[in-house]
């Protein structure tokens, strides 16, 4: 069974592409907003404040919006959030020198980020056959890696052809295009919330195993956030062909390859065991970063860390879907987005001061610590990662 068998399924390419385009706009934010503000004369203190406001509002808003989707459906949430998020980017673009307006636009765009990512993952079981789900999640994971490859490239194209503020207009257009493509697709329009007699105020977090499982990617996010900043400092100290972007490109390429290989395997090992195994592989790669090797071995570590990341996420998607209580699946995936992003932000924030002191080895060790946290959490909750009613089978 090939990936073509998944992509040729009715509606699959449309919802995948729509989700990817909409997510591309959000992936551009970390680069586009600071560049537009800097071009308008903003200092780095304000740029940091705006970036933090965008990230924090997105982290808070995502689970809330996910819960609303679980209550009222996808289209009724995607359309208004897409419009308002686009207005947020346009607001910044129209008045990049007005601090109050910029902050309002950043909070609006962040808090009302269209939940395309969790909405897509909720649809997969209804879009493909059961034996194709692993491939579908692998395609999803690969698409996510491509988002972070192409996002900065779109910003670079805007800078080369127009002014930095044009990237914000591009984000608004991509947001609207992605939401329009996804929300008008038949699977999104006909998706209906599951009816449940009682809705717990904790939503999906009332499942203890799922809560622990969702905490693990925080550590992975810390490792990735650390790596994103670390490679910039590394490239300044070592002669690296292509600099930091080349190292990150190798990491993304390996993640893409890992996702595709993962989806081609017919797995007999339980998802929870797969996730722990991939997390162990990440720990090996990120742990070895502390040695701060020369460029050639460093390139190898970029490939190693990337290779295990996407398969772990693909297996994670399936297990979250299985563990989430009825009527809470969208919110569960929204929590994954929030906690992963929180870890990434934490890793970047913590490693910055360490690199300012010139402690490259200690900074690299932070990435290993994040990967260790992920593996430790997965190990602690391993026995709880079994869907209700499913017998615990030996691997």
């Amino acid at each position: 069974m090939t990936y073509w068998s998944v992509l040729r399924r009715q509606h699959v390419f449309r919802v995948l592409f729509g989700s990817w385009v909409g997510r591309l706009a959000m992936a551009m934010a970390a680069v586009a907003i600071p560049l537009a503000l800097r071009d308008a004369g903003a200092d780095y203190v304000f740029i940091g404040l705006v970036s933090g406001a965008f990230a924090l509002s997105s982290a808070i808003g995502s689970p809330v919006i996910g819960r609303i989707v679980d209550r009222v459906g996808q289209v009724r949430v995607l359309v208004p959030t897409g419009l308002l998020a686009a207005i947020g980017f346009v607001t910044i673009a129209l008045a990049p020198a007005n601090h109050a307006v910029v902050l309002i636009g950043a909070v609006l765009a962040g808090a009302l980020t269209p939940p395309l990512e969790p909405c897509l993952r909720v649809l997969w079981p209804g879009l493909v056959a059961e034996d194709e789900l692993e491939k579908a999640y692998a395609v999803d994971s690969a698409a996510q890696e491509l988002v972070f490859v192409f996002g900065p490239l779109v910003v670079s194209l805007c800078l080369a052809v127009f002014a930095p503020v044009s990237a914000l207009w591009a984000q608004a257009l991509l947001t609207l295009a992605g939401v329009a493509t996804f929300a008008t697709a038949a699977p999104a329009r006909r998706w209906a919330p599951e009816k449940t007699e009682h809705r717990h105020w904790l939503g999906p977090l009332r499942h203890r195993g799922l809560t622990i499982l969702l905490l693990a990617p925080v550590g992975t996010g810390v490792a990735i956030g650390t790596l994103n900043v670390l490679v910039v400092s590394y490239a300044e100290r070592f002669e690296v062909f292509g600099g930091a972007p080349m190292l990150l490109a190798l990491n993304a390429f390996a993640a893409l390859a890992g996702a595709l290989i993962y989806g081609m395997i017919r797995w007999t090992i339980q998802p929870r065991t797969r996730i722990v195994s991939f997390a162990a592989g990440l720990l090996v790669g990120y742990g070895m970063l502390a040695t701060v090797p020369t460029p050639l071995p460093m390139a190898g570590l970029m490939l190693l860390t990337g290779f295990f990341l996407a398969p772990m996420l693909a297996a994670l998607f399936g297990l979250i879907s299985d563990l989430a209580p009825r009527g809470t699946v969208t919110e569960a995936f929204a929590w994954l987005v929030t906690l992963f992003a929180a870890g990434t932000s934490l890793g970047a924030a913590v490693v910055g001061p360490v690199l300012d002191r010139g402690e490259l080895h200690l900074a690299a060790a932070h990435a290993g610590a994040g990967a260790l946290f992920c593996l430790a959490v997965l190990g602690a909750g391993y026995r709880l990662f079994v869907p209700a009613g499913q017998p615990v089978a030996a691997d």
Side-chain angles (χ1 to χ4, degrees):
M1 191 180 296
T2 65
Y3 283 106
W4 179 242
S5 67
V6 172
L7 293 174
R8 72 181 179 183
R9 287 270 184 179
Q10 189 177 23
H11 306 301
V12 163
F13 184 80
R14 177 171 177 170
V15 295
L16 180 64
F17 181 73
S19 171
W20 187 83
V21 170
R23 282 189 270 174
L24 186 66
M26 297 304 158
M28 294 165 60
V31 182
I33 294 177
L35 287 174
L37 296 182
R38 189 61 180 166
D39 187 62
D43 57 32
Y44 284 109
V45 173
F46 181 65
I47 290 173
L49 176 63
V50 174
S51 298
F54 178 86
L56 181 61
S57 60
S58 180
I60 294 172
S62 184
V64 175
I65 292 175
R67 178 168 294 193
I68 295 172
V69 172
D70 282 327
R71 301 286 179 88
V72 304
Q74 295 193 352
V75 176
R76 293 170 66 182
V77 175
L78 285 169
V79 172
T81 55
L83 287 171
L84 291 170
I87 289 172
F89 290 127
V90 170
T91 299
I92 302 173
L94 289 174
N98 188 315
H99 287 195
V101 171
V102 167
L103 277 171
I104 291 171
V107 171
L108 188 65
L112 295 171
T113 299
L116 291 164
E117 192 173 335
C119 282
L120 173 65
R121 287 168 194 157
V122 169
L123 293 181
W124 280 127
L127 290 172
V128 300
E130 186 175 353
D131 61 348
E132 294 175 323
L133 263 179
E134 293 290 356
K135 272 189 170 54
Y137 288 130
V139 168
D140 191 343
S141 182
Q144 183 166 310
E145 294 304 320
L146 289 176
V147 162
F148 293 105
V149 172
F150 281 92
L153 292 179
V154 174
V155 175
S156 298
L157 179 62
C158 291
L159 294 177
V161 180
F162 305 106
V165 74
S166 66
L168 294 170
W169 289 99
Q171 283 179 274
L173 291 173
L174 288 169
T175 299
L176 293 173
V179 168
T181 302
F182 189 97
T184 55
R189 287 188 285 109
R190 65 175 175 241
W191 186 85
E194 290 187 83
K195 293 182 179 180
T196 57
E197 294 182 3
H198 175 68
R199 292 185 182 273
H200 196 281
W201 68 276
L202 281 174
L205 301 185
R206 70 178 182 267
H207 188 295
R208 189 157 59 113
L210 178 60
T211 302
I212 295 173
L213 182 67
L214 289 170
L215 283 175
V218 174
T220 308
V222 168
I224 294 170
T226 300
L227 182 68
N228 290 340
V229 180
L230 176 70
V231 293
V232 175
S233 179
Y234 180 90
E236 290 176 351
R237 299 191 186 194
F238 294 86
E239 188 174 338
V240 179
F241 174 76
M246 178 59 72
L247 292 175
L248 291 176
L250 286 173
N251 188 261
F253 173 78
L256 177 62
L260 295 177
I261 292 172
Y262 172 86
M264 288 162 46
I265 298 173
R266 188 176 293 275
W267 293 95
T268 57
I269 302 171
Q270 292 184 65
R272 60 177 183 165
T273 304
R274 279 179 254 157
I275 294 170
V276 170
S277 301
F278 295 138
L282 281 175
L283 177 58
V284 172
Y286 279 110
M288 292 174 66
L289 280 178
T291 63
V292 189
T294 53
L296 188 57
M298 186 66 165
L301 289 182
M302 292 299 101
L303 294 172
L304 180 63
T305 52
F307 184 78
F308 286 107
L309 173 63
M312 189 184 84
L313 292 177
L316 194 65
F317 297 158
L319 190 54
I320 288 173
S321 181
D322 290 339
L323 294 180
R326 285 188 61 193
T328 68
V329 181
T330 309
E331 185 183 346
F333 280 118
W335 273 112
L336 172 64
V337 174
T338 286
L339 293 171
F340 190 86
T344 304
S345 300
L346 177 62
V350 170
V351 78
V354 179
L355 289 171
D356 277 342
R357 297 196 302 267
E359 300 176 5
L360 198 59
H361 289 271
L362 179 59
H366 279 72
L372 179 61
F373 174 85
C374 174
L375 184 59
V377 170
L378 290 173
Y382 182 81
R383 292 184 177 276
L384 300 174
F385 302 154
V386 179
Q390 179 176 310
V392 180
D395 289 316

